[in-house]
Amino acid sequence: TRKAKGEGYPARSVYKLAEMQEKFRLLKPGSRVLDIGAAPGSWSLWVLRFLKGSGFLAAVDLSPLGMKPPTDNFFFIQGDLYDPAVRAALAGKGPYDVVLSDAAPSTTGDRTVDTGRSESIVEAVIGYADDLLAPGGTLVVKLFQGGGERELLAAIKERYDTARGFKPKACRSESFETYLIGLGKKGRASTA
């Protein structure tokens, strides 16, 4: 956490994305990226630094971001990813080459409830990627492990050339979060 703050990132989650980028080459210079569940903004800031003024980043979250980058290739909308107006605004900025989501539900302490809420977010993010991700694109989405990961990974396998689960070393050992990754989206992007 101190290292993240020292490097100007609002949260330590940035190192999970950096590790996945190193392993899977998710982004390329000039990529168009959608960050769902972006607050406090570490992943968005990392993406913007990676893009170095090229490409484009759109981001959405219920909460405001903990940073305001002064850049023309960035769009943020504060709102609910389930809101059709939010979806339409993000669709208007697409299609995207990469859809990222480090979103987590409000937790209750009841693992069954929390994992169910996480699975619902993953399903919504997969829906965004179905509609807004360009063919050949990449999906990365966080999931709380708890029973539904096999079905969700199977859904990603249907849509991508390569699909796998991955737990970055940067995750805390006691954490039950993992990431589902889809590489090489099949088919076409729509503007739904």
Side-chain angles (χ1 to χ4, degrees), residues 113-192:
V113 171
D114 295 343
T115 57
R117 289 179 176 177
S118 175
E119 290 169 11
S120 294
I121 291 171
V122 171
E123 289 168 353
V125 172
I126 290 171
Y128 266 82
D130 285 348
D131 293 339
L132 305 181
L133 190 61
T138 297
L139 169 68
V140 175
V141 60
K142 178 164 70 180
L143 172 68
F144 290 172
Q145 296 171 293
E149 53 268 21
R150 183 171 288 150
E151 292 82 7
L152 291 166
L153 189 57
I156 293 172
K157 283 181 179 178
E158 291 174 6
R159 296 163 166 85
Y160 295 82
D161 294 333
T162 302
R164 62 174 296 180
F166 181 74
K167 184 165 184 161
K169 291 176 189 160
C171 289
R172 291 188 169 106
S173 59
E174 69 275 8
S175 170
F176 61 104
E177 70 182 25
T178 192
Y179 291 83
L180 302 179
I181 300 172
L183 304 170
K185 182 187 177 209
K186 301 172 185 175
R188 301 178 192 209
S190 69
T191 54

Side-chain angles (χ1 to χ4, degrees), residues 26-155:
L26 309 170
L27 291 88
K28 297 172 181 61
S31 291
R32 294 185 64 81
V33 181
L34 174 58
D35 183 0
I36 299 173
S42 291
W43 279 30
S44 288
L45 184 57
W46 188 92
V47 168
L48 289 169
R49 287 178 178 176
F50 176 87
L51 293 175
K52 298 178 184 170
S54 70
F56 179 78
L57 172 65
V60 60
D61 200 288
L62 283 170
S63 300
L65 293 183
M67 55 92 182
K68 293 185 182 183
T71 176
D72 293 335
N73 65 334
F74 178 65
F75 170 79
F76 174 71
I77 185 167
Q78 186 174 342
D80 191 327
L81 72 105
Y82 298 103
D83 181 337
V86 168
R87 188 180 184 105
L90 294 169
K93 303 290 185 181
Y96 301 95
D97 302 304
V98 181
V99 172
L100 301 172
S101 179
D102 193 39
S106 296
T107 55
T108 64
D110 180 325
R111 188 164 176 167
T112 302
V113 171
D114 295 343
T115 57
R117 289 179 176 177
S118 175
E119 290 169 11
S120 294
I121 291 171
V122 171
E123 289 168 353
V125 172
I126 290 171
Y128 266 82
D130 285 348
D131 293 339
L132 305 181
L133 190 61
T138 297
L139 169 68
V140 175
V141 60
K142 178 164 70 180
L143 172 68
F144 290 172
Q145 296 171 293
E149 53 268 21
R150 183 171 288 150
E151 292 82 7
L152 291 166
L153 189 57

